[in-house]
C-alpha cells in the first residue's frame, strides 16, 4: 500500500501519542508502540500483537481496509472544499440511538467523568487511525457524492457506503476500547451499558451551545400553552408536534423544553432498572446497531411493553425535517408502537419540532387525522424577539451609544417587521451593529439583511429534491401569482388560476392543505375569523380545557366546534407570504429559480413571471374559456372573482411587464389579445365596468401603446390590426374610443350602470383622444349644461329612456330643476315606464313636497303591479323600494300607522331586501310596537327558513351593513324581552350559527355569536356564557386582518372589561382582587418587556376603576395614551378620522372625571 511521507506520518503519529498520554495517564512506550514510522509499520505491529486476540484475526482484513480508507484522507483532506465536508451526512440515522443512550444512562457525575475520559481516549485513537475526520464528515453532512468525487480526483478510492464505513469504524473503536478496559480491569454495569450504547456527544454539544446563546425567559411561553400542558399529563396522547417556519427559533424552543424537563425530572438520579435492562437486552453493540433494533430494545421493551416499571421518558426530537426523507420515513414508521389500545397508558412521550410539512408524515405514522399541534408564530414569540432586540442593543458597542430615539425606532421597526422570524431579526442585528453612522442604521432598517437568501434557497432546494415535475409547476404558478399580485389573492383566486392554466381544467384537490402544510415555510393563509392552521388542526380534537356545559343549551349546539378538515371559505381566505422578505426574494431579478441536482426548478424568474401573468390577465379579460373548464357552480364563482381581479388590475400588470424582454411566442399570444381588448365591444363590456371612468387616464393609454407600438409585436399581427394601430398613432388615446361608445350606450340606452359615472366617462372620451389633462369627477362638472351637452354629443334618439337617464344624472349631481324637467318629459313620452315616477317622487321629497311625493309613489306602485301578474326579482325590488320610500314620508309626517303598514308591505314584497326589513324594525321600536315587531320578524323567518335553505339570519347578517345589523339585533332583542319571546330568538340564532359553521360563513357566524352573547348578558340569562363567547372570539381575532374582526375584537374587549369591572364592584376581598387582576391582564401589553398599558378599551375601563378607587397615578397612566393618540389623529392631515378621534377623546375625558373638557369636546363635535 502507499505510505504517507515519513515526516508527515511522524508528525501525525507524535500528535496522537501526545494526546493519548495526556488523557490516559499512561506512557505509550509501555505498550511498545512508539517506534512506528509508517502505515505499513503500524500494520505489522498490529499483526504481531494480534496473536492473543482470536476475534481480531477474523476482522483483520476489515481493520486494515478501514485504516487505509480512513487514515489516508488525513493527508489529503485539505484538498476537499470545506463546504463539502460541513454539509455531508446528517445525524438523523443516529438520532434515536444517541438519544436512547442518554435516556438510559442519565447524567451520573462519576460515570460522566469516566465517560468523558473514555470519550477523550477514543477521540485520540480516532485521530490515530483517521476516524475522527470520518466522524466529523458523518455528523455534519449531506453531500456524500460531492465528497466522494473530490476524493476520487486525488485517486483515493472509498468504495464502501455510509453504513459499511460506520460499522467498520465501530469495530475499530470497539477494539481500542476493549484494549483500554483490559488495561484497567472490569467495569461496572453502568460502564458496560455505556460501552454498549456508545452515546454521541453531538446532541449534548448542540444543547450546550444553544443554552448559552438563549436569553433567560426565551421560549417559556410554550410552558403555558394548553396543548403543551395537556400533552405532559395525558399518557394516552404521546406525541405533540411543534411547527414553525424556517428561522422561527424552533431549536431555542427545544432547548427551553429540555431545560424545563431537566429541572422537573433531575437527571442525576439513576434508575437501576434501566441499566439492568440494557445489560440484559444489549449484550453487544450488534444488538442495537440498527435504528429498528435500538428502538425495540431501548424503548419499546422497557417503556411500552414492560408493565413492571413506572419509568417514563420524554424525547425532544428537533430538526427532523432536515433528515433524508427515506431515513425519516423509517424512523417515523417505528412510532406505530406508540399507538395504544384500550385503557393502556404510554410511558414514552415524544415532541417533534420541525416545519409544518411534517404534519402529515407524523399523523400517518400514528394512523390518525390529527395530532396535538403547537405553532411557533409571531403572536407567541414576539416578546422573545423584542427581548432579543433589546439585549442585542445593550451588548453592541455602536447601538448602545446611539440616541434613545433611534434605539426605540430599531426596536419598533424590527419587532413590527419580524413577523415571528427570529433569523431575520438576528441577521438584521448583525448588520446594524457594524454601522458607524446613525443615518446608515436608519437606512439599513428597511433593507433585507444579508444571509436570508441562503435560508430561502435551502428551503427551495429541499422542495426541488422531493417534488415531481408536475407538482413543481403548480407550486411555481402559485409563487408567481402571490409574488406579482396587486392585492392579497384568495384561495379561490389561486384555484381558478390553476384550473385556467391546466389543460384539463382541473385544480388541486388539496390546495389548502398543501399551502398550510407542505408549503407553509413561506405561505400564510388568513381566514376572516382569524383561525390559524394550528387552530384548525386542534379543533378536530376534544379540548380538555373547555368547561363542559351541563345545561343543555348554547354550548352544546352553537359554540361546539364542528370537525374541520381545511375547508376554509375559498372566497374570503387570503393567501400571502409569511414574511415580507420572502416576497422580496422572489421579486429580486438576481435570484431566479433554484434546483437541487436533477430536480425541477423551483422559484420565480421575475421577468418571465411578469409576462406570464400579463398573458393570463389578458386571456381572462378577453376569453371565456374558463367557464367551460369549470362546470361546477362554485368554480364559476371562483372564476368570476379572478375575472374581476383581471379587469381591475390589468393596467398594473401591463406596467410591470417589459415588452423588450418578451419572447416571440409571448408577443404572438399577447398581440391579438391586446387588439381585441381595445376593439371588441363585447370584450370591452366585460372589463370596462370594473375600471369605470378611471379608465380615462393618459397613463393607461401610454402603457397600452408601449406594447401596441412595439415593431416586433406589430409585425406579428394581421394587416387589418396593423392598419388600425397605425391609424391611432397620431391620437394615442383613440384606442379607447370604443370604451366611450359603450359608456354612452350604458348611460342612455340601458338601466343598469350609474348615469352620472357614465356621463363623466363619455365626457372624458374626446378629452383623452385629444391628449388633454383630465379633471376629477369628485370636483363635479362646471355646470349642469355639461350633462345635457354630453348626452346630445353622443347623437342617440331622445326617447323616454334617454330623458329619464339624463334626469337621473342631473339628480345624482343635485341639479333638481333640470332633473324634474327631464323626468316630466320622459313621463309624457311613456307613462307606463318604471322608475320615472319614483325619480319625480324623490325630487319632490327633497323639496319637502311630501303630499306630491306620496301620490307619485302610490302611482308608481299601481303601475308596477298592473304591469305584469308574473313575479320577478326586479318587480319585487321596485315594489319594495317605493313602499319603503313611502313609509319614510309617512314617518316624517308623523303618520305612524300608515308608515308601519307601508314598511310591512315592503318586507312582504321583497323578503331579501334587508335594509327595508331593518328600517321597518327600527320604526316599530321607536313607536314601542314590540308585538308588531316580533310578529313581523316571525313572519319573515317563517317565510324564508325552509328546510335545507340558508336561514334568514345568515343571509341578513352577511349583508355587511353594520348599521342594519345593529338595528335588527338591538331592536329584536328588546322587543323579545317585552313579549317573552327571547327563547324564540335564541333558538333561531343557534340554528343560524350552526348553519354558518358548516357552510364557511366565518364572519357571519362571529357576528351571530356576538348577538347571542348580548342576549345572554343583557337579558341576564348567563353572563358566564357570554364571557366565554367573547373570550373565544377575542382569541380568534388575534390573527385576523379583517376589518369586521377588528371591530369584533374591540367590542369583545370592551364587553369583557366592563363585565370584570361590574363584578369587581359587586364583590369584595379575594373575589374582587381576582376580577381586577383579570382586567389588568387585559389592559397591559403581553410579555415581560412591555409591561405598559396598551390602547385597548380594557385600559379605559381599568382607568375608571383606578379613579373610582382613588388611585389617580394609575388612572392617569391608563388614560394618558388614549388622550395622546386622539390628539395625534386630530393633528394629522386626514379629516376623515377626526370624528372618531373626537368621540374617543370625549369618552376618555369623561372616564377621567374631566367634566369641563368633556363638555367642550362635545361642543366641538356638535
Amino acid at each position: 500500500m502507499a505510505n504517507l511521507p515519513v515526516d508527515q506520518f511522524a508528525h501525525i503519529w507524535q500528535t496522537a501519542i501526545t494526546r493519548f498520554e495526556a488523557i490516559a495517564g499512561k506512557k505509550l512506550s509501555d505498550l511498545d508502540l512508539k517506534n512506528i514510522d509508517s502505515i505499513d509499520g503500524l500494520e505489522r505491529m498490529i499483526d504481531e500483537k494480534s496473536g492473543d486476540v482470536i476475534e481480531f484475526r477474523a476482522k483483520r482484513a476489515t481493520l486494515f481496509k478501514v485504516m487505509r480508507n480512513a487514515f489516508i484522507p488525513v493527508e489529503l483532506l485539505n484538498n476537499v472544499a470545506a463546504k463539502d465536508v460541513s454539509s455531508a451526512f446528517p445525524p438523523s440515522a443516529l438520532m434515536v440511538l444517541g438519544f436512547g443512550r442518554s435516556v438510559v444512562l442519565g447524567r451520573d457525575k462519576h460515570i460522566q467523568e469516566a465517560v468523558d475520559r473514555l470519550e477523550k481516549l477514543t477521540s485520540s485513537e480516532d485521530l490515530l487511525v483517521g476516524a475522527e475526520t470520518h466522524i466529523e464528515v458523518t455528523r455534519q453532512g449531506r453531500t456524500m457524492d460531492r465528497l466522494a468525487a473530490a476524493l476520487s480526483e486525488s485517486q483515493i478510492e472509498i468504495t464502501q457506503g455510509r453504513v459499511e464505513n460506520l460499522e467498520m469504524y465501530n469495530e475499530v473503536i470497539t477494539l481500542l476500547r476493549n484494549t483500554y478496559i483490559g488495561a484497567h480491569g472490569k467495569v461496572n454495569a453502568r460502564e458496560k451499558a455505556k460501552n454498549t450504547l456508545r452515546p454521541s456527544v453531538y446532541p449534548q454539544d448542540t444543547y450546550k451551545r444553544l443554552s448559552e446563546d438563549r436569553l433567560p425567559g426565551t421560549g417559556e411561553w410554550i410552558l403555558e400553552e394548553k396543548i403543551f400542558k395537556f400533552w405532559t399529563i395525558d399518557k394516552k396522547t404521546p406525541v405533540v408536534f411543534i411547527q414553525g417556519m424556517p428561522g422561527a427559533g424552533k431549536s431555542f424552543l427545544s432547548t427551553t423544553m429540555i431545560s424545563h424537563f431537566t429541572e422537573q425530572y433531575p437527571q442525576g438520579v439513576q434508575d437501576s432498572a434501566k441499566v439492568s435492562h440494557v445489560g440484559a437486552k444489549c449484550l453487544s453493540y450488534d444488538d442495537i446497531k440498527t435504528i429498528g433494533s435500538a428502538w425495540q430494545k431501548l424503548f419499546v421493551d422497557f417503556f411500552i411493553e414492560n408493565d413492571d416499571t413506572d419509568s417514563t421518558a420524554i424525547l425532544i426530537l428537533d430538526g427532523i425535517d432536515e433528515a433524508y426523507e427515506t431515513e425519516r420515513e423509517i424512523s417515523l414508521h417505528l412510532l406505530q408502537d406508540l399507538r395504544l389500545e384500550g385503557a393502556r397508558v404510554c410511558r414514552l412521550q415524544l415532541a417533534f419540532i420541525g416545519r409544518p410539512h411534517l404534519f402529515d408524515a407524523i399523523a400517518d405514522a400514528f394512523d390518525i387525522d390529527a395530532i396535538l399541534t403547537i405553532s411557533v408564530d409571531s403572536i407567541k414569540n414576539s416578546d422573545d424577539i423584542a427581548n432579543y432586540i433589546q439585549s442585542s442593543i445593550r451588548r453592541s458597542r455602536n447601538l448602545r451609544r446611539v440616541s434613545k430615539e433611534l434605539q426605540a425606532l430599531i426596536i419598533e421597526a424590527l419587532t413590527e417587521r419580524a413577523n415571528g422570524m427570529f433569523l431575520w431579526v438576528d441577521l438584521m442585528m448583525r448588520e446594524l451593529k457594524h454601522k458607524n453612522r446613525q443615518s446608515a442604521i436608519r437606512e439599513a432598517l428597511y433593507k433585507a439583511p444579508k444571509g436570508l437568501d441562503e435560508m430561502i434557497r435551502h428551503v427551495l432546494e429541499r422542495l426541488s429534491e422531493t417534488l415531481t415535475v408536475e407538482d413543481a409547476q403548480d407550486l411555481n404558478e402559485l409563487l408567481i401569482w402571490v409574488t406579482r399580485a396587486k392585492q392579497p389573492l384568495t384561495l379561490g383566486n389561486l384555484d381558478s388560476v390553476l384550473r385556467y392554466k391546466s389543460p384539463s381544467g382541473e385544480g388541486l384537490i388539496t390546495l389548502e392543505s398543501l399551502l398550510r402544510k407542505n408549503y407553509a415555510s413561506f405561505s400564510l393563509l388568513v381566514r376572516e375569523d382569524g383561525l390559524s392552521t394550528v387552530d384548525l388542526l386542534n379543533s378536530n380534537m376534544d379540548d380538555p380545557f373547555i368547561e363542559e356545559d351541563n345545561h343543555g343549551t348554547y354550548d352544546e349546539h352553537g359554540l361546539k366546534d364542528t370537525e374541520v378538515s381545511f375547508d376554509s371559505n375559498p372566497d374570503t381566505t387570503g393567501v400571502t407570504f409569511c414574511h415580507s422578505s420572502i416576497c422580496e426574494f422572489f421579486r429580486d431579478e438576481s435570484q431566479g429559480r433554484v434546483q437541487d441536482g436533477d430536480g425541477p426548478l423551483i422559484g420565480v424568474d421575475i421577468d418571465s413571471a411578469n409576462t406570464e401573468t400579463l398573458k393570463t390577465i389578458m386571456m381572462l379579460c378577453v376569453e371565456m374559456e374558463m367557464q367551460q373548464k369549470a362546470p361546477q357552480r362554485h368554480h364559476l364563482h371562483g372564476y368570476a372573482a379572478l375575472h374581476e381581479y383581471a379587469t381591475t388590475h390589468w393596467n398594473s400588470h401591463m406596467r410591470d411587464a417589459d415588452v423588450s424582454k418578451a419572447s416571440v411566442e409571448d408577443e404572438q399570444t399577447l398581440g391579438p389579445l391586446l387588439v381585441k381588448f381595445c376593439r371588441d365591444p363585447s370584450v370591452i363590456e366585460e372589463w370596462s365596468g370594473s375600471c369605470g371612468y378611471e379608465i380615462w387616464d393618459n397613463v393607461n393609454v401610454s402603457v397600452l401603446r408601449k406594447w401596441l407600438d412595439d415593431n416586433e409585436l406589430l409585425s406579428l399581427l394581421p394587416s387589418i390590426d396593423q392598419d388600425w394601430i397605425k391609424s391611432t398613432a397620431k391620437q394615442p388615446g383613440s384606442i379607447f374610443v370604443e370604451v366611450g361608445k359603450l359608456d354612452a350606450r350604458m348611460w342612455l340606452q340601458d338601466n343598469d350602470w350609474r348615469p352620472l359615472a357614465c356621463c363623466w366617462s363619455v365626457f372624458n372620451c374626446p378629452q383623452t383622444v385629444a391628449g388633454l389633462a383630465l379633471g376629477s369627477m369628485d370636483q363635479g362638472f362646471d355646470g349642469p349644461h355639461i350633462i345635457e351637452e354630453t348626452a346630445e354629443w353622443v347623437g342617440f334618439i331622445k326617447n323616454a329612456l334617454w330623458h329619464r337617464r339624463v334626469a337621473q344624472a342631473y339628480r345624482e349631481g343635485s341639479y333638481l330643476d333640470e332633473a324634474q324637467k327631464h323626468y316630466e318629459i320622459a313621463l309624457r313620452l311613456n307613462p307606463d315606464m318604471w322608475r320615472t315616477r319614483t325619480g319625480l317622487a324623490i325630487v319632490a321629497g327633497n323639496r319637502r313636497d311630501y303630499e306630491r311625493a306620496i301620490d307619485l309613489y302610490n302611482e308608481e306602485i299601481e303601475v308596477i303591479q298592473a304591469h305584469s301578474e308574473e313575479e320577478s326579482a326586479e318587480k319585487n325590488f321596485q315594489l319594495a323600494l317605493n313602499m319603503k320610500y313611502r313609509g319614510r314620508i309617512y314617518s316624517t309626517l308623523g303618520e305612524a300607522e300608515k308608515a308601519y303598514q307601508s314598511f310591512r308591505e315592503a318586507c312582504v314584497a321583497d323578503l331579501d331586501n334587508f335594509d327595508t326589513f331593518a328600517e321597518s324594525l327600527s320604526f316599530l321600536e321607536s313607536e314601542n310596537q314590540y308585538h308588531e315587531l316580533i310578529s313581523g320578524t316571525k313572519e319573515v323567518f317563517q317565510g324564508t327558513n325552509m328546510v335545507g335553505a340558508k336561514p334568514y339570519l345568515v343571509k341578513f347578517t352577511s349583508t355587511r351593513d353594520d348599521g342594519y345589523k345593529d338595528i335588527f339585533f338591538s331592536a329584536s332583542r328588546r322587543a323579545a324581552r317585552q313579549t317573552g319571546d327571547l327563547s324564540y330568538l335564541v333558538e333561531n340564532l343557534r340554528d343560524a350559527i350552526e348553519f354558518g359553521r358548516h357552510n364557511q360563513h366565518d364572519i357571519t357566524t362571529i357576528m351571530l355569536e356576538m348577538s347571542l352573547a348580548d342576549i345572554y348578558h343583557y337579558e341576564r340569562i348567563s353572563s358566564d356564557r357570554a364571557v366565554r363567547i367573547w373570550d373565544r372570539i377575542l382569541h380568534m381575532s388575534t390573527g385576523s386582518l379583517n376589518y369586521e374582526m377588528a371591530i369584533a375584537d374591540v367590542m369583545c374587549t370592551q364587553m369583557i372589561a366592563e363585565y370584570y369591572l361590574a363584578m369587581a364592584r359587586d364583590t369584595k376581598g379575594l373575589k374582587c382582587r381576582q376580577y381586577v387582576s383579570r382586567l389588568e391582564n387585559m389592559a397591559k401589553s403581553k410579555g415581560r418587556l412591555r409591561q405598559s398599558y396598551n390602547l385597548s378599551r380594557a385600559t379605559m375601563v381599568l382607568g375608571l376603576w383606578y379613579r373610582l378607587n382613588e388611585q389617580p397615578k394609575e388612572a392617569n397612566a391608563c388614560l394618558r395614551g388614549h388622550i395622546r393618540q386622539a390628539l395625534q389623529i386630530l393633528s394629522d392631515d386626514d379629516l376623515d378620522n377626526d370624528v372618531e378621534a373626537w368621540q374617543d377623546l370625549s369618552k376618555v375625558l369623561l372616564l377621567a372625571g374631566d367634566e369641563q373638557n368633556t363638555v367642550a369636546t362635545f361642543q366641538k363635535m356638535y
Side-chain angles (χ1 to χ4, degrees), residues 183-347:
H184 288 78
K186 296 182 178 179
V187 297
N188 59 30
R190 287 192 176 88
E191 290 172 334
K192 181 179 178 181
K194 183 78 171 182
N195 295 330
T196 301
L197 296 176
R198 306 173 190 171
S200 169
V201 297
Y202 180 71
Q204 184 65 28
D205 291 344
T206 303
Y207 169 70
K208 182 180 179 182
R209 175 177 58 80
L210 291 173
S211 296
E212 291 173 350
D213 293 342
R214 185 174 66 92
L215 294 176
T218 298
E220 290 184 354
W221 58 264
I222 197 170
L223 307 180
E224 301 301 320
E225 285 284 302
K226 291 181 178 181
I227 294 294
F228 182 82
K229 290 180 177 179
F230 178 62
W231 169 69
T232 59
I233 63 175
D234 181 44
K235 302 304 181 183
K236 292 186 179 181
T237 310
V239 173
V240 65
F241 178 42
I242 301 170
Q243 67 169 32
M245 64 179 176
K250 300 185 293 295
S251 294
F252 284 104
L253 195 63
S254 302
T255 306
T256 299
M257 295 165 60
I258 294 173
S259 300
H260 166 72
F261 288 123
T262 301
E263 294 174 3
Q264 191 173 10
Y265 307 106
Q267 300 297 291
V269 180
Q270 297 297 328
D271 186 344
S272 59
K274 300 176 188 176
V275 180
S276 299
H277 173 80
V278 174
K281 296 287 186 178
C282 308
L283 301 179
S284 70
Y285 178 76
D286 290 340
D287 293 332
I288 58 167
K289 67 179 181 180
T290 66
I291 293 178
S293 61
W295 172 256
Q296 180 67 39
K297 292 183 180 296
L298 299 180
F299 295 100
V300 176
D301 290 350
F302 187 82
F303 292 104
I304 299 177
E305 297 181 352
N306 183 8
D307 295 329
D308 296 331
T309 179
D310 59 354
S311 297
T312 62
I314 298 175
L315 274 64
I316 311 296
L317 304 177
D318 184 22
I320 57 174
D321 46 358
E322 293 295 340
Y324 287 130
E325 185 174 3
T326 54
E327 294 176 343
R328 186 169 61 237
E329 289 177 354
I330 293 173
S331 300
L332 292 175
H333 179 73
L334 299 174
L335 300 183
Q336 294 181 2
D337 294 321
L338 296 180
R339 291 186 293 184
L340 303 176
E341 298 179 359
R344 291 185 60 196
V345 298
C346 184
R347 295 188 299 276

Side-chain angles (χ1 to χ4, degrees), residues 683-700:
V683 171
I684 293 172
E685 186 173 349
E686 289 293 325
W687 65 261
S688 64
S690 299
C691 296
Y693 57 83
E694 295 177 358
I695 183 63
W696 304 105
D697 186 332
N698 290 325
V699 174
N700 291 330

Side-chain angles (χ1 to χ4, degrees), residues 1070-1088:
L1070 179 60
K1071 274 286 186 185
C1072 175
R1073 289 194 297 272
Q1074 287 176 341
Y1075 284 113
V1076 174
S1077 176
R1078 294 176 187 176
L1079 184 55
E1080 289 174 335
N1081 289 336
M1082 291 183 66
K1084 291 186 177 180
S1085 296
K1086 297 178 181 179
R1088 301 170 302 281

Side-chain angles (χ1 to χ4, degrees), residues 611-612 614-615 618-619 657-675 705-718 721 725:
T611 306
E612 283 298 316
L614 177 60
K615 287 196 297 184
M618 286 292 103
M619 290 177 184
D658 189 343
V659 64
S660 65
K661 296 180 180 180
S663 66
V664 175
E665 292 76 11
D666 293 333
E667 292 183 332
Q668 284 178 329
T669 301
L670 277 168
L673 291 174
L674 293 174
V675 172
R705 297 234 57 121
K706 177 183 66 174
W707 285 83
L708 293 175
D709 294 336
D710 180 75
N711 290 330
E712 188 170 356
L713 183 145
L714 191 63
S715 66
L716 298 171
L717 291 172
D721 292 335
I725 293 175

Side-chain angles (χ1 to χ4, degrees), residues 232-524:
T232 59
I233 63 175
D234 181 44
K235 302 304 181 183
K236 292 186 179 181
T237 310
V239 173
V240 65
F241 178 42
I242 301 170
Q243 67 169 32
M245 64 179 176
K250 300 185 293 295
S251 294
F252 284 104
L253 195 63
S254 302
T255 306
T256 299
M257 295 165 60
I258 294 173
S259 300
H260 166 72
F261 288 123
T262 301
E263 294 174 3
Q264 191 173 10
Y265 307 106
Q267 300 297 291
V269 180
Q270 297 297 328
D271 186 344
S272 59
K274 300 176 188 176
V275 180
S276 299
H277 173 80
V278 174
K281 296 287 186 178
C282 308
L283 301 179
S284 70
Y285 178 76
D286 290 340
D287 293 332
I288 58 167
K289 67 179 181 180
T290 66
I291 293 178
S293 61
W295 172 256
Q296 180 67 39
K297 292 183 180 296
L298 299 180
F299 295 100
V300 176
D301 290 350
F302 187 82
F303 292 104
I304 299 177
E305 297 181 352
N306 183 8
D307 295 329
D308 296 331
T309 179
D310 59 354
S311 297
T312 62
I314 298 175
L315 274 64
I316 311 296
L317 304 177
D318 184 22
I320 57 174
D321 46 358
E322 293 295 340
Y324 287 130
E325 185 174 3
T326 54
E327 294 176 343
R328 186 169 61 237
E329 289 177 354
I330 293 173
S331 300
L332 292 175
H333 179 73
L334 299 174
L335 300 183
Q336 294 181 2
D337 294 321
L338 296 180
R339 291 186 293 184
L340 303 176
E341 298 179 359
R344 291 185 60 196
V345 298
C346 184
R347 295 188 299 276
L348 188 62
Q349 293 174 276
L350 284 77
F352 290 97
I353 296 93
R355 296 171 193 164
H357 69 270
L358 293 179
F359 178 89
D360 284 338
I362 299 173
D364 290 344
F366 289 91
D367 194 23
I368 55 178
D369 294 330
I371 55 177
L372 293 175
T373 308
I374 300 173
S375 177
V376 185
D377 53 37
S378 59
I379 297 174
K380 295 169 183 173
N381 69 3
S382 58
D383 294 320
D384 292 338
I385 289 176
N387 188 13
Y388 176 76
I389 295 170
Q390 291 196 4
S391 175
S392 299
I393 291 175
R394 290 193 299 267
R395 290 181 295 173
S396 170
R397 183 180 293 106
N398 286 352
L399 296 181
R400 67 170 176 258
R401 286 180 169 84
V402 303
S403 66
K404 297 295 183 183
E405 177 189 0
L406 182 54
Q407 289 182 359
L409 178 62
I410 293 172
I411 295 172
E412 179 182 1
L414 296 189
T415 302
E416 288 182 357
R417 297 179 61 208
N419 201 24
M421 188 182 288
F422 246 112
L423 176 62
W424 180 85
V425 174
D426 179 61
L427 294 173
M428 287 293 294
M429 292 305 303
R430 291 184 187 183
E431 291 198 18
L432 294 178
K433 68 182 181 182
H434 293 300
K435 303 295 181 183
N436 294 315
R437 288 184 172 85
Q438 295 197 31
S439 59
I441 293 175
R442 293 178 187 274
E443 183 179 355
L445 272 177
Y446 301 99
K447 292 184 177 180
K450 298 177 181 178
L452 195 63
D453 295 348
E454 285 76 4
M455 184 272 289
I456 298 175
R457 294 181 73 85
H458 173 66
V459 173
L460 296 178
E461 285 173 359
R462 296 303 302 271
L463 288 170
S464 175
E465 178 186 356
T466 57
L467 291 181
T468 65
V469 173
E470 184 180 8
D471 290 340
Q473 290 173 346
D474 289 332
L475 172 58
N476 288 336
E477 196 69 47
L478 294 172
L479 291 176
I480 287 172
W481 279 88
V482 177
T483 300
R484 302 311 303 150
K486 306 308 174 185
Q487 67 183 40
L489 298 178
T490 65
L491 270 175
N493 293 148
L494 294 177
D495 177 67
S496 296
V497 167
L498 295 179
R499 291 178 182 278
Y500 192 81
K501 301 300 284 287
S502 169
S504 64
E506 292 181 300
L508 298 179
I509 298 174
T510 58
L511 174 60
E512 182 176 3
S513 181
L514 286 171
L515 291 171
R516 289 190 181 277
K517 297 177 183 176
N518 302 52
Y519 307 146
S521 293
F522 41 76
S523 66
L524 176 68

Side-chain angles (χ1 to χ4, degrees), residues 150-193:
L151 291 174
S152 64
E153 291 175 3
S154 302
Q155 296 182 344
I156 297 176
E157 192 173 340
I158 299 178
T159 59
Q160 300 298 323
R162 291 187 299 149
V163 176
E164 182 181 359
N165 286 338
L166 183 60
E167 291 174 351
M168 290 188 292
Y169 160 71
N170 288 330
E171 291 169 0
V172 176
I173 297 302
T174 300
L175 174 65
L176 295 173
R177 285 178 173 169
N178 289 341
T179 302
Y180 175 79
I181 293 171
H184 288 78
K186 296 182 178 179
V187 297
N188 59 30
R190 287 192 176 88
E191 290 172 334
K192 181 179 178 181

